[in-house]
Amino acid sequence: MATDAIALGAGTTASPRYTKVAIWLHWLIGLAVIANICLAMLTEGLPRPTHMAAMGVHKALGVTILVLTIVRIVWRLGHKVPPLPDAVPAWQRPLSKIVHFLFYALLILLPLSGWLWMSAADRPIDYFGLFDLPSLVGPDKALADTMHDRHELMGLTMLALVVVHILAALKHQFVDRSGVNARMNPF
């Protein structure tokens, strides 16, 4: 199942697949990250009530991403990552590890920086109308300003990584035909 190789035709076989849990966490987190980037960037010029409503969803979704990422990390600790197919060039292997490390770091640090920013700005985070998250610190305008800047910088870094990740996946699928994407295909 999770370790079965997948026949791709033309004599190529992909590496074993990730577990179903890892695959679904990947796609849930990935779609949530893309939605959150869109909420942050595309609602900026909208009327204040619309923008604030979108930011409420953005904040709650950010917390959801944080929780799902922690679940994914815990899951990954107990489940070995399938090896890359032999068709993946040696120079891409360490690059892949660096990009994945940066993703995990940002998936943790980006929501935490937003939470810290909102805490320092004395603006509680409402989790989809269910409850408010506790503040991490007391009101501190200087810290709020700093965390705002860092949150935006990390958000732009995440956007760049998402674009690189999608382009690399498309390259592996349609140019290289390496079979690497089959490891994360949910279907």
Side-chain angles (χ1 to χ4, degrees):
M1 211 157 79
T3 58
D4 294 339
I6 301 163
L8 296 174
T12 350
T13 303
S15 294
R17 293 170 49 88
Y18 281 89
T19 64
K20 288 184 186 204
V21 170
I23 290 169
W24 284 105
L25 284 170
H26 169 269
W27 287 102
L28 283 172
I29 292 168
L31 292 173
V33 165
I34 291 169
N36 243 9
I37 289 169
C38 290
L39 282 168
M41 298 182 89
L42 301 178
T43 65
E44 193 64 40
L46 295 179
R48 184 158 173 79
T50 305
H51 177 71
M52 294 309 290
M55 287 300 94
V57 173
H58 173 84
K59 294 170 194 176
L61 193 53
V63 172
T64 303
I65 291 167
L66 175 63
V67 170
L68 289 173
T69 299
I70 291 167
V71 169
R72 184 162 182 206
I73 290 169
V74 169
W75 182 262
R76 187 168 173 170
L77 291 173
H79 299 83
K80 189 176 178 183
V81 175
L84 290 169
D86 293 336
V88 175
W91 67 270
Q92 289 180 11
R93 293 168 186 273
L95 190 59
S96 170
K97 288 181 190 222
I98 291 167
V99 168
H100 281 91
F101 173 80
L102 290 173
F103 263 127
Y104 280 112
L106 285 172
L107 288 168
I108 298 285
L109 295 174
L110 196 51
L112 285 178
S113 70
W115 190 355
L116 188 56
W117 168 24
M118 291 298 102
S119 296
D122 200 22
R123 295 192 308 224
I125 296 175
D126 174 3
Y127 189 76
F128 296 116
L130 299 173
F131 56 87
D132 285 350
L133 269 66
S135 289
L136 298 175
V137 295
D140 182 336
K141 182 171 177 8
L143 178 60
D145 291 344
T146 299
M147 294 316 299
H148 170 259
D149 293 343
R150 295 205 175 136
H151 187 75
E152 282 192 352
L153 179 62
M154 285 189 276
L156 291 172
T157 304
M158 176 64 84
L159 173 61
L161 277 177
V162 167
V163 169
V164 166
H165 186 65
I166 291 170
L167 289 174
L170 291 171
K171 178 184 177 293
H172 282 294
Q173 182 68 31
F174 298 111
V175 176
D176 301 342
R177 300 186 184 274
S178 66
V180 73
N181 293 347
R183 303 174 330 142
M184 197 52 84
N185 185 340
F187 305 109

